Amino acid sequence: MNISSLDWIIILLFFAVFLAIGLRVSRKAGSSSKEFFLSGRNMPWWLLGVSMVATTFSADTPNLVTDIVRQNGVAGNWAWWAFLITGMLTVFVYAKLWRKSGVLTDLEFYEKRYSGKEAAFLRGFRAIYLGVFFNIMIMASVSLAAIKIGEVMFGLEPWKTVVYASVITVAYSSLGGLRGVILTDFLQFLVAMVGSVAAAIYIINLPEIGGLEALLARPEIASKLDLVPSFSNRELFITLLVIPIAVQWWSVWYPGAEPGGGGYIAQRMLSSKNEKHAVSATFLFNITHYALRPWPWILIALASLVVYPDLASIQEAFPGISESKIGHDLGYSAMLLTLPKGLLGIVIASLIAAYMSTISTHLNWGSSYVAFDFYQRFVKPDASEKELVNVGRISTVILMILAGLFALVLTSAYDAFQILLSIGAGTGSIFILRWFWWRINAYSEIAGMVVSFILALLFKFGPESLTSIPSDYQLLLSVGVTTLAWVLVTLATKPTDYKTLVSFFNSVKPYGSGWNGLKRQAQQQGDSLEPGVGRFSVDLLALFLGIIIVYATLFSMGMFIYGEMVNGLILLFIALGAAALLRNTWKKLSF
């Protein structure tokens, strides 16, 4: 493909700006491990919220949405829209609890909440399991999107794309730490949003598309427009809506939508100024992530069905792309080839920005696990601040190399999404309830992690009787078996040490009747427990109002795009009404 000089200037300018930011904050980032991994715990809510949403605005997300829309229509997005419930639970319940815990990483939580060698094992194992293995899979999935974009738009071989895309990212991530990541995230998000909106407007007005009204009137497109799966197709209704809403959101651990918070979302909350900033940042993230971003991607995905109605047409248009990388997710990159110079440069820069934002966050997050939760905890407890920063920087480079190598063998963003869901199936309920039920211990989490991983392997590589089961029903089986296993293990093993539980309760101040067993023990021994934080009824009301605001806004925008103005206005008024109620409820929240 011929990239104009103007496009190259735009692309290179953004590369230079990102690197300059990393260099600018490198000295402060290297001054201490808390600066490098938590940006000094002094970040404002608006910057953290934008950073969270920029991280989830990865290069593979438009590809994933395109894959979903082309195969299952707009309603297929419930596979990730359902995670909004998890997000709002984090906003109004877990954000303040995480910030009150005072931990440096969410894995340090294990030795505050649990006790004994099993707690230490869990912390160390998950540092490698999540920080290295799982993290590499996520970054490989994002790098796969970069590979496909590189093949379609630049004609690059996969390995060259990985090298070119990662060098600058690794440079500013290893130099600037989390502060550098957060500052570049802000710019990257602005560029990514401008690029995706501008691209959608241009593409739907192409002569072969004929504008928005003509696009939506096409028979092959009209069948894809439902926001909710039709009940007439019971199978799709169950798999696309019922399972995600009823089961998936609370049962599955997935980066950016962890039940109970965690991962890089927890890292952002832990780096906030206080609990109020943690809650506000996470709320901003969920509004922007679910309500404001999806429609440009959806429109481009629908337009791609006109130009490239099937995989054969994509392969015919791009014969140079390796056969193993051909998939519906290529529809997004293919449509970007129609953009004029200048706009093409901005869009390419936005995709690069999206890639770099996600990768830089995962590099910093993963290296924090390696430095704090593995190296300092088990290898060298007396490691100096400078040494911890160096370990973080070295592990940043190693993680990127491994992720790049794994990306070369992946084929589909949606397949990677399904693999990640299956590995974490059934563990989400532990991450939710461990804050509410004193009886959960380290063995609960170990059992859930082991059983879910074994089941994921069996469903992927086991006998045909298991691998032939549809993926959605595999998810249900995994959730059921894993949940049963960890509950039985919890009841069969001893609870966490009493003193550890008392210390945890008094520092975090969780609420709920699930702590009554500990309260009775404390009463018998004459110990005092601090009162719980806030009222659960108020937090629950805020949670439901937040969900209504986001879904009503998302679907209101859809109705306006579809030309259904009355329905759009009704949904908009519902969103505004819920926002007014939430404003009054917000004053009653306890921070």
Side-chain angles (χ1 to χ4, degrees), residues 43-53 91 95 265 268-269 272 274-288 586:
M43 284 287 129
W45 65 272
W46 57 271
L47 198 53
L48 290 174
V50 171
S51 177
M52 292 179 192
V53 76
V91 172
I265 299 298
R268 297 300 191 276
M269 293 187 290
S272 63
N274 51 43
E275 295 91 48
K276 187 174 183 179
H277 279 264
V279 172
S280 300
T282 318
F283 188 50
L284 174 62
F285 158 60
N286 279 276
I287 292 174
T288 311
W586 193 281

PDB file of all heavy atoms in Angstrom, residues 43-53 91 95 265 268-269 272 274-288 586:
ATOM      1  N   MET A  43      -2.638  10.259  41.467  1.00  0.00           N
ATOM      2  CA  MET A  43      -3.237  10.546  40.178  1.00  0.00           C
ATOM      3  C   MET A  43      -4.704  10.976  40.325  1.00  0.00           C
ATOM      4  O   MET A  43      -5.445  10.385  41.102  1.00  0.00           O
ATOM      5  CB  MET A  43      -3.160   9.305  39.279  1.00  0.00           C
ATOM      6  CG  MET A  43      -1.789   9.062  38.698  1.00  0.00           C
ATOM      7  SD  MET A  43      -1.401  10.260  37.392  1.00  0.00           S
ATOM      8  CE  MET A  43       0.207  10.826  37.950  1.00  0.00           C
ATOM      9  N   PRO A  44      -5.151  12.000  39.574  1.00  0.00           N
ATOM     10  CA  PRO A  44      -6.552  12.452  39.628  1.00  0.00           C
ATOM     11  C   PRO A  44      -7.475  11.492  38.882  1.00  0.00           C
ATOM     12  O   PRO A  44      -7.054  10.790  37.960  1.00  0.00           O
ATOM     13  CB  PRO A  44      -6.493  13.814  38.941  1.00  0.00           C
ATOM     14  CG  PRO A  44      -5.340  13.703  37.982  1.00  0.00           C
ATOM     15  CD  PRO A  44      -4.327  12.827  38.668  1.00  0.00           C
ATOM     16  N   TRP A  45      -8.748  11.529  39.243  1.00  0.00           N
ATOM     17  CA  TRP A  45      -9.726  10.576  38.714  1.00  0.00           C
ATOM     18  C   TRP A  45      -9.888  10.670  37.199  1.00  0.00           C
ATOM     19  O   TRP A  45     -10.002   9.647  36.521  1.00  0.00           O
ATOM     20  CB  TRP A  45     -11.082  10.800  39.388  1.00  0.00           C
ATOM     21  CG  TRP A  45     -11.709  12.132  39.098  1.00  0.00           C
ATOM     22  CD1 TRP A  45     -11.524  13.302  39.769  1.00  0.00           C
ATOM     23  CD2 TRP A  45     -12.614  12.425  38.030  1.00  0.00           C
ATOM     24  NE1 TRP A  45     -12.253  14.317  39.203  1.00  0.00           N
ATOM     25  CE2 TRP A  45     -12.951  13.814  38.130  1.00  0.00           C
ATOM     26  CE3 TRP A  45     -13.201  11.673  37.010  1.00  0.00           C
ATOM     27  CZ2 TRP A  45     -13.820  14.426  37.243  1.00  0.00           C
ATOM     28  CZ3 TRP A  45     -14.070  12.289  36.121  1.00  0.00           C
ATOM     29  CH2 TRP A  45     -14.372  13.655  36.236  1.00  0.00           C
ATOM     30  N   TRP A  46      -9.907  11.886  36.641  1.00  0.00           N
ATOM     31  CA  TRP A  46     -10.169  12.033  35.205  1.00  0.00           C
ATOM     32  C   TRP A  46      -9.032  11.466  34.364  1.00  0.00           C
ATOM     33  O   TRP A  46      -9.267  10.872  33.300  1.00  0.00           O
ATOM     34  CB  TRP A  46     -10.415  13.505  34.853  1.00  0.00           C
ATOM     35  CG  TRP A  46      -9.286  14.431  35.232  1.00  0.00           C
ATOM     36  CD1 TRP A  46      -9.109  15.078  36.417  1.00  0.00           C
ATOM     37  CD2 TRP A  46      -8.170  14.800  34.406  1.00  0.00           C
ATOM     38  NE1 TRP A  46      -7.951  15.825  36.393  1.00  0.00           N
ATOM     39  CE2 TRP A  46      -7.363  15.675  35.174  1.00  0.00           C
ATOM     40  CE3 TRP A  46      -7.787  14.481  33.099  1.00  0.00           C
ATOM     41  CZ2 TRP A  46      -6.185  16.218  34.661  1.00  0.00           C
ATOM     42  CZ3 TRP A  46      -6.616  15.026  32.591  1.00  0.00           C
ATOM     43  CH2 TRP A  46      -5.830  15.886  33.362  1.00  0.00           C
ATOM     44  N   LEU A  47      -7.810  11.624  34.846  1.00  0.00           N
ATOM     45  CA  LEU A  47      -6.670  11.086  34.109  1.00  0.00           C
ATOM     46  C   LEU A  47      -6.638   9.561  34.200  1.00  0.00           C
ATOM     47  O   LEU A  47      -6.354   8.872  33.217  1.00  0.00           O
ATOM     48  CB  LEU A  47      -5.379  11.684  34.666  1.00  0.00           C
ATOM     49  CG  LEU A  47      -4.120  11.603  33.801  1.00  0.00           C
ATOM     50  CD1 LEU A  47      -4.363  12.176  32.413  1.00  0.00           C
ATOM     51  CD2 LEU A  47      -2.967  12.329  34.470  1.00  0.00           C
ATOM     52  N   LEU A  48      -6.951   9.028  35.366  1.00  0.00           N
ATOM     53  CA  LEU A  48      -6.991   7.582  35.543  1.00  0.00           C
ATOM     54  C   LEU A  48      -8.131   6.955  34.744  1.00  0.00           C
ATOM     55  O   LEU A  48      -7.969   5.878  34.157  1.00  0.00           O
ATOM     56  CB  LEU A  48      -7.143   7.230  37.020  1.00  0.00           C
ATOM     57  CG  LEU A  48      -5.936   7.508  37.912  1.00  0.00           C
ATOM     58  CD1 LEU A  48      -6.291   7.257  39.366  1.00  0.00           C
ATOM     59  CD2 LEU A  48      -4.758   6.633  37.504  1.00  0.00           C
ATOM     60  N   GLY A  49      -9.300   7.608  34.735  1.00  0.00           N
ATOM     61  CA  GLY A  49     -10.427   7.073  33.980  1.00  0.00           C
ATOM     62  C   GLY A  49     -10.132   6.991  32.498  1.00  0.00           C
ATOM     63  O   GLY A  49     -10.431   5.984  31.843  1.00  0.00           O
ATOM     64  N   VAL A  50      -9.532   8.042  31.958  1.00  0.00           N
ATOM     65  CA  VAL A  50      -9.157   8.035  30.537  1.00  0.00           C
ATOM     66  C   VAL A  50      -8.088   6.976  30.281  1.00  0.00           C
ATOM     67  O   VAL A  50      -8.100   6.291  29.251  1.00  0.00           O
ATOM     68  CB  VAL A  50      -8.666   9.429  30.102  1.00  0.00           C
ATOM     69  CG1 VAL A  50      -8.075   9.377  28.697  1.00  0.00           C
ATOM     70  CG2 VAL A  50      -9.809  10.426  30.152  1.00  0.00           C
ATOM     71  N   SER A  51      -7.161   6.811  31.216  1.00  0.00           N
ATOM     72  CA  SER A  51      -6.118   5.796  31.063  1.00  0.00           C
ATOM     73  C   SER A  51      -6.716   4.395  31.001  1.00  0.00           C
ATOM     74  O   SER A  51      -6.304   3.564  30.189  1.00  0.00           O
ATOM     75  CB  SER A  51      -5.120   5.884  32.216  1.00  0.00           C
ATOM     76  OG  SER A  51      -4.142   4.874  32.121  1.00  0.00           O
ATOM     77  N   MET A  52      -7.707   4.123  31.861  1.00  0.00           N
ATOM     78  CA  MET A  52      -8.360   2.807  31.840  1.00  0.00           C
ATOM     79  C   MET A  52      -9.018   2.539  30.492  1.00  0.00           C
ATOM     80  O   MET A  52      -8.876   1.460  29.911  1.00  0.00           O
ATOM     81  CB  MET A  52      -9.426   2.728  32.933  1.00  0.00           C
ATOM     82  CG  MET A  52      -8.909   2.726  34.363  1.00  0.00           C
ATOM     83  SD  MET A  52     -10.310   2.665  35.522  1.00  0.00           S
ATOM     84  CE  MET A  52      -9.495   3.026  37.078  1.00  0.00           C
ATOM     85  N   VAL A  53      -9.746   3.536  30.003  1.00  0.00           N
ATOM     86  CA  VAL A  53     -10.477   3.321  28.762  1.00  0.00           C
ATOM     87  C   VAL A  53      -9.525   3.278  27.562  1.00  0.00           C
ATOM     88  O   VAL A  53      -9.761   2.555  26.587  1.00  0.00           O
ATOM     89  CB  VAL A  53     -11.568   4.394  28.575  1.00  0.00           C
ATOM     90  CG1 VAL A  53     -11.006   5.718  28.133  1.00  0.00           C
ATOM     91  CG2 VAL A  53     -12.626   3.920  27.600  1.00  0.00           C
ATOM     92  N   VAL A  91     -17.197  -0.196  40.447  1.00  0.00           N
ATOM     93  CA  VAL A  91     -17.296   1.239  40.720  1.00  0.00           C
ATOM     94  C   VAL A  91     -17.837   1.510  42.119  1.00  0.00           C
ATOM     95  O   VAL A  91     -17.218   2.221  42.922  1.00  0.00           O
ATOM     96  CB  VAL A  91     -18.202   1.931  39.676  1.00  0.00           C
ATOM     97  CG1 VAL A  91     -18.459   3.389  40.084  1.00  0.00           C
ATOM     98  CG2 VAL A  91     -17.569   1.890  38.300  1.00  0.00           C
ATOM     99  N   ALA A  95     -14.158  -0.418  44.347  1.00  0.00           N
ATOM    100  CA  ALA A  95     -13.120   0.602  44.153  1.00  0.00           C
ATOM    101  C   ALA A  95     -12.632   1.157  45.487  1.00  0.00           C
ATOM    102  O   ALA A  95     -11.426   1.262  45.740  1.00  0.00           O
ATOM    103  CB  ALA A  95     -13.643   1.732  43.258  1.00  0.00           C
ATOM    104  N   ILE A 265      -6.969  -2.526  36.225  1.00  0.00           N
ATOM    105  CA  ILE A 265      -7.980  -1.633  36.777  1.00  0.00           C
ATOM    106  C   ILE A 265      -7.681  -1.358  38.250  1.00  0.00           C
ATOM    107  O   ILE A 265      -7.753  -0.222  38.724  1.00  0.00           O
ATOM    108  CB  ILE A 265      -9.388  -2.246  36.612  1.00  0.00           C
ATOM    109  CG1 ILE A 265      -9.711  -2.449  35.126  1.00  0.00           C
ATOM    110  CG2 ILE A 265     -10.437  -1.353  37.261  1.00  0.00           C
ATOM    111  CD1 ILE A 265      -9.741  -1.186  34.306  1.00  0.00           C
ATOM    112  N   ARG A 268      -4.791   1.045  38.608  1.00  0.00           N
ATOM    113  CA  ARG A 268      -5.177   2.448  38.462  1.00  0.00           C
ATOM    114  C   ARG A 268      -5.865   2.951  39.736  1.00  0.00           C
ATOM    115  O   ARG A 268      -5.609   4.068  40.194  1.00  0.00           O
ATOM    116  CB  ARG A 268      -6.128   2.629  37.274  1.00  0.00           C
ATOM    117  CG  ARG A 268      -5.540   2.276  35.921  1.00  0.00           C
ATOM    118  CD  ARG A 268      -4.330   3.139  35.597  1.00  0.00           C
ATOM    119  NE  ARG A 268      -3.926   3.001  34.216  1.00  0.00           N
ATOM    120  CZ  ARG A 268      -3.139   2.047  33.740  1.00  0.00           C
ATOM    121  NH1 ARG A 268      -2.667   1.118  34.569  1.00  0.00           N
ATOM    122  NH2 ARG A 268      -2.801   1.998  32.469  1.00  0.00           N
ATOM    123  N   MET A 269      -6.745   2.135  40.313  1.00  0.00           N
ATOM    124  CA  MET A 269      -7.436   2.554  41.537  1.00  0.00           C
ATOM    125  C   MET A 269      -6.445   2.743  42.685  1.00  0.00           C
ATOM    126  O   MET A 269      -6.565   3.675  43.483  1.00  0.00           O
ATOM    127  CB  MET A 269      -8.501   1.520  41.912  1.00  0.00           C
ATOM    128  CG  MET A 269      -9.658   1.443  40.924  1.00  0.00           C
ATOM    129  SD  MET A 269     -11.019   0.370  41.440  1.00  0.00           S
ATOM    130  CE  MET A 269     -10.294  -1.253  41.309  1.00  0.00           C
ATOM    131  N   SER A 272      -4.640   6.099  42.685  1.00  0.00           N
ATOM    132  CA  SER A 272      -5.455   7.316  42.803  1.00  0.00           C
ATOM    133  C   SER A 272      -5.152   8.063  44.098  1.00  0.00           C
ATOM    134  O   SER A 272      -4.562   7.516  45.028  1.00  0.00           O
ATOM    135  CB  SER A 272      -6.941   6.954  42.754  1.00  0.00           C
ATOM    136  OG  SER A 272      -7.285   6.144  43.863  1.00  0.00           O
ATOM    137  N   ASN A 274      -7.300   9.106  46.412  1.00  0.00           N
ATOM    138  CA  ASN A 274      -8.077   8.590  47.541  1.00  0.00           C
ATOM    139  C   ASN A 274      -9.227   7.739  47.004  1.00  0.00           C
ATOM    140  O   ASN A 274      -9.339   7.526  45.790  1.00  0.00           O
ATOM    141  CB  ASN A 274      -8.605   9.724  48.424  1.00  0.00           C
ATOM    142  CG  ASN A 274      -9.332  10.795  47.618  1.00  0.00           C
ATOM    143  OD1 ASN A 274     -10.121  10.493  46.724  1.00  0.00           O
ATOM    144  ND2 ASN A 274      -9.064  12.055  47.937  1.00  0.00           N
ATOM    145  N   GLU A 275     -10.104   7.284  47.935  1.00  0.00           N
ATOM    146  CA  GLU A 275     -11.207   6.412  47.527  1.00  0.00           C
ATOM    147  C   GLU A 275     -12.160   7.118  46.559  1.00  0.00           C
ATOM    148  O   GLU A 275     -12.663   6.510  45.607  1.00  0.00           O
ATOM    149  CB  GLU A 275     -11.992   5.935  48.751  1.00  0.00           C
ATOM    150  CG  GLU A 275     -11.209   5.041  49.686  1.00  0.00           C
ATOM    151  CD  GLU A 275     -10.505   5.844  50.768  1.00  0.00           C
ATOM    152  OE1 GLU A 275     -11.143   6.718  51.396  1.00  0.00           O
ATOM    153  OE2 GLU A 275      -9.300   5.605  50.967  1.00  0.00           O
ATOM    154  N   LYS A 276     -12.446   8.382  46.798  1.00  0.00           N
ATOM    155  CA  LYS A 276     -13.375   9.109  45.927  1.00  0.00           C
ATOM    156  C   LYS A 276     -12.840   9.192  44.503  1.00  0.00           C
ATOM    157  O   LYS A 276     -13.596   9.028  43.538  1.00  0.00           O
ATOM    158  CB  LYS A 276     -13.612  10.518  46.483  1.00  0.00           C
ATOM    159  CG  LYS A 276     -14.696  11.284  45.744  1.00  0.00           C
ATOM    160  CD  LYS A 276     -14.995  12.607  46.429  1.00  0.00           C
ATOM    161  CE  LYS A 276     -16.130  13.341  45.716  1.00  0.00           C
ATOM    162  NZ  LYS A 276     -16.461  14.629  46.386  1.00  0.00           N
ATOM    163  N   HIS A 277     -11.566   9.439  44.362  1.00  0.00           N
ATOM    164  CA  HIS A 277     -10.956   9.487  43.031  1.00  0.00           C
ATOM    165  C   HIS A 277     -10.964   8.104  42.374  1.00  0.00           C
ATOM    166  O   HIS A 277     -11.131   7.994  41.159  1.00  0.00           O
ATOM    167  CB  HIS A 277      -9.527  10.020  43.130  1.00  0.00           C
ATOM    168  CG  HIS A 277      -9.448  11.515  43.217  1.00  0.00           C
ATOM    169  ND1 HIS A 277      -9.228  12.326  42.133  1.00  0.00           N
ATOM    170  CD2 HIS A 277      -9.577  12.354  44.277  1.00  0.00           C
ATOM    171  CE1 HIS A 277      -9.214  13.587  42.505  1.00  0.00           C
ATOM    172  NE2 HIS A 277      -9.425  13.638  43.812  1.00  0.00           N
ATOM    173  N   ALA A 278     -10.789   7.053  43.168  1.00  0.00           N
ATOM    174  CA  ALA A 278     -10.830   5.683  42.628  1.00  0.00           C
ATOM    175  C   ALA A 278     -12.210   5.365  42.070  1.00  0.00           C
ATOM    176  O   ALA A 278     -12.346   4.803  40.974  1.00  0.00           O
ATOM    177  CB  ALA A 278     -10.443   4.681  43.715  1.00  0.00           C
ATOM    178  N   VAL A 279     -13.256   5.721  42.821  1.00  0.00           N
ATOM    179  CA  VAL A 279     -14.636   5.475  42.377  1.00  0.00           C
ATOM    180  C   VAL A 279     -14.948   6.293  41.128  1.00  0.00           C
ATOM    181  O   VAL A 279     -15.496   5.776  40.144  1.00  0.00           O
ATOM    182  CB  VAL A 279     -15.633   5.811  43.512  1.00  0.00           C
ATOM    183  CG1 VAL A 279     -17.073   5.749  42.998  1.00  0.00           C
ATOM    184  CG2 VAL A 279     -15.457   4.848  44.669  1.00  0.00           C
ATOM    185  N   SER A 280     -14.607   7.572  41.136  1.00  0.00           N
ATOM    186  CA  SER A 280     -14.911   8.460  40.011  1.00  0.00           C
ATOM    187  C   SER A 280     -14.184   8.018  38.742  1.00  0.00           C
ATOM    188  O   SER A 280     -14.752   8.047  37.642  1.00  0.00           O
ATOM    189  CB  SER A 280     -14.528   9.904  40.359  1.00  0.00           C
ATOM    190  OG  SER A 280     -15.236  10.359  41.495  1.00  0.00           O
ATOM    191  N   ALA A 281     -12.935   7.605  38.891  1.00  0.00           N
ATOM    192  CA  ALA A 281     -12.156   7.163  37.733  1.00  0.00           C
ATOM    193  C   ALA A 281     -12.773   5.928  37.098  1.00  0.00           C
ATOM    194  O   ALA A 281     -12.906   5.840  35.868  1.00  0.00           O
ATOM    195  CB  ALA A 281     -10.713   6.881  38.156  1.00  0.00           C
ATOM    196  N   THR A 282     -13.163   4.975  37.927  1.00  0.00           N
ATOM    197  CA  THR A 282     -13.725   3.732  37.407  1.00  0.00           C
ATOM    198  C   THR A 282     -15.087   3.975  36.776  1.00  0.00           C
ATOM    199  O   THR A 282     -15.454   3.324  35.786  1.00  0.00           O
ATOM    200  CB  THR A 282     -13.847   2.686  38.533  1.00  0.00           C
ATOM    201  OG1 THR A 282     -12.667   2.719  39.337  1.00  0.00           O
ATOM    202  CG2 THR A 282     -13.993   1.296  37.956  1.00  0.00           C
ATOM    203  N   PHE A 283     -15.857   4.915  37.319  1.00  0.00           N
ATOM    204  CA  PHE A 283     -17.153   5.259  36.734  1.00  0.00           C
ATOM    205  C   PHE A 283     -16.974   5.887  35.355  1.00  0.00           C
ATOM    206  O   PHE A 283     -17.680   5.540  34.397  1.00  0.00           O
ATOM    207  CB  PHE A 283     -17.904   6.207  37.672  1.00  0.00           C
ATOM    208  CG  PHE A 283     -19.325   6.480  37.256  1.00  0.00           C
ATOM    209  CD1 PHE A 283     -20.179   5.436  36.943  1.00  0.00           C
ATOM    210  CD2 PHE A 283     -19.803   7.776  37.186  1.00  0.00           C
ATOM    211  CE1 PHE A 283     -21.493   5.671  36.565  1.00  0.00           C
ATOM    212  CE2 PHE A 283     -21.116   8.027  36.815  1.00  0.00           C
ATOM    213  CZ  PHE A 283     -21.967   6.971  36.503  1.00  0.00           C
ATOM    214  N   LEU A 284     -16.039   6.831  35.247  1.00  0.00           N
ATOM    215  CA  LEU A 284     -15.753   7.454  33.955  1.00  0.00           C
ATOM    216  C   LEU A 284     -15.338   6.405  32.933  1.00  0.00           C
ATOM    217  O   LEU A 284     -15.769   6.439  31.765  1.00  0.00           O
ATOM    218  CB  LEU A 284     -14.653   8.504  34.114  1.00  0.00           C
ATOM    219  CG  LEU A 284     -14.138   9.150  32.823  1.00  0.00           C
ATOM    220  CD1 LEU A 284     -15.247   9.911  32.116  1.00  0.00           C
ATOM    221  CD2 LEU A 284     -12.965  10.081  33.125  1.00  0.00           C
ATOM    222  N   PHE A 285     -14.518   5.463  33.360  1.00  0.00           N
ATOM    223  CA  PHE A 285     -14.068   4.387  32.473  1.00  0.00           C
ATOM    224  C   PHE A 285     -15.245   3.595  31.920  1.00  0.00           C
ATOM    225  O   PHE A 285     -15.345   3.352  30.705  1.00  0.00           O
ATOM    226  CB  PHE A 285     -13.115   3.458  33.228  1.00  0.00           C
ATOM    227  CG  PHE A 285     -12.999   2.075  32.651  1.00  0.00           C
ATOM    228  CD1 PHE A 285     -12.548   1.880  31.360  1.00  0.00           C
ATOM    229  CD2 PHE A 285     -13.339   0.964  33.406  1.00  0.00           C
ATOM    230  CE1 PHE A 285     -12.443   0.603  30.818  1.00  0.00           C
ATOM    231  CE2 PHE A 285     -13.237  -0.313  32.880  1.00  0.00           C
ATOM    232  CZ  PHE A 285     -12.799  -0.492  31.585  1.00  0.00           C
ATOM    233  N   ASN A 286     -16.174   3.186  32.771  1.00  0.00           N
ATOM    234  CA  ASN A 286     -17.284   2.350  32.325  1.00  0.00           C
ATOM    235  C   ASN A 286     -18.231   3.104  31.393  1.00  0.00           C
ATOM    236  O   ASN A 286     -18.733   2.527  30.418  1.00  0.00           O
ATOM    237  CB  ASN A 286     -18.041   1.811  33.537  1.00  0.00           C
ATOM    238  CG  ASN A 286     -17.357   0.615  34.155  1.00  0.00           C
ATOM    239  OD1 ASN A 286     -17.528  -0.516  33.720  1.00  0.00           O
ATOM    240  ND2 ASN A 286     -16.545   0.856  35.178  1.00  0.00           N
ATOM    241  N   ILE A 287     -18.468   4.375  31.666  1.00  0.00           N
ATOM    242  CA  ILE A 287     -19.321   5.168  30.767  1.00  0.00           C
ATOM    243  C   ILE A 287     -18.699   5.250  29.378  1.00  0.00           C
ATOM    244  O   ILE A 287     -19.341   5.010  28.353  1.00  0.00           O
ATOM    245  CB  ILE A 287     -19.544   6.580  31.341  1.00  0.00           C
ATOM    246  CG1 ILE A 287     -20.395   6.518  32.614  1.00  0.00           C
ATOM    247  CG2 ILE A 287     -20.221   7.475  30.304  1.00  0.00           C
ATOM    248  CD1 ILE A 287     -20.534   7.856  33.304  1.00  0.00           C
ATOM    249  N   THR A 288     -17.438   5.599  29.353  1.00  0.00           N
ATOM    250  CA  THR A 288     -16.757   5.799  28.066  1.00  0.00           C
ATOM    251  C   THR A 288     -16.565   4.489  27.320  1.00  0.00           C
ATOM    252  O   THR A 288     -16.770   4.405  26.104  1.00  0.00           O
ATOM    253  CB  THR A 288     -15.388   6.475  28.302  1.00  0.00           C
ATOM    254  OG1 THR A 288     -15.562   7.604  29.149  1.00  0.00           O
ATOM    255  CG2 THR A 288     -14.773   6.917  26.986  1.00  0.00           C
ATOM    256  N   TRP A 586     -25.245   9.822  44.909  1.00  0.00           N
ATOM    257  CA  TRP A 586     -23.793   9.961  45.043  1.00  0.00           C
ATOM    258  C   TRP A 586     -23.420  10.665  46.347  1.00  0.00           C
ATOM    259  O   TRP A 586     -22.425  10.344  46.988  1.00  0.00           O
ATOM    260  CB  TRP A 586     -23.249  10.743  43.846  1.00  0.00           C
ATOM    261  CG  TRP A 586     -21.749  10.686  43.690  1.00  0.00           C
ATOM    262  CD1 TRP A 586     -20.820  11.412  44.380  1.00  0.00           C
ATOM    263  CD2 TRP A 586     -21.009   9.860  42.787  1.00  0.00           C
ATOM    264  NE1 TRP A 586     -19.554  11.110  43.956  1.00  0.00           N
ATOM    265  CE2 TRP A 586     -19.637  10.151  42.983  1.00  0.00           C
ATOM    266  CE3 TRP A 586     -21.359   8.918  41.832  1.00  0.00           C
ATOM    267  CZ2 TRP A 586     -18.625   9.524  42.256  1.00  0.00           C
ATOM    268  CZ3 TRP A 586     -20.365   8.299  41.107  1.00  0.00           C
ATOM    269  CH2 TRP A 586     -19.020   8.589  41.316  1.00  0.00           C
TER     270      TRP A 586
END
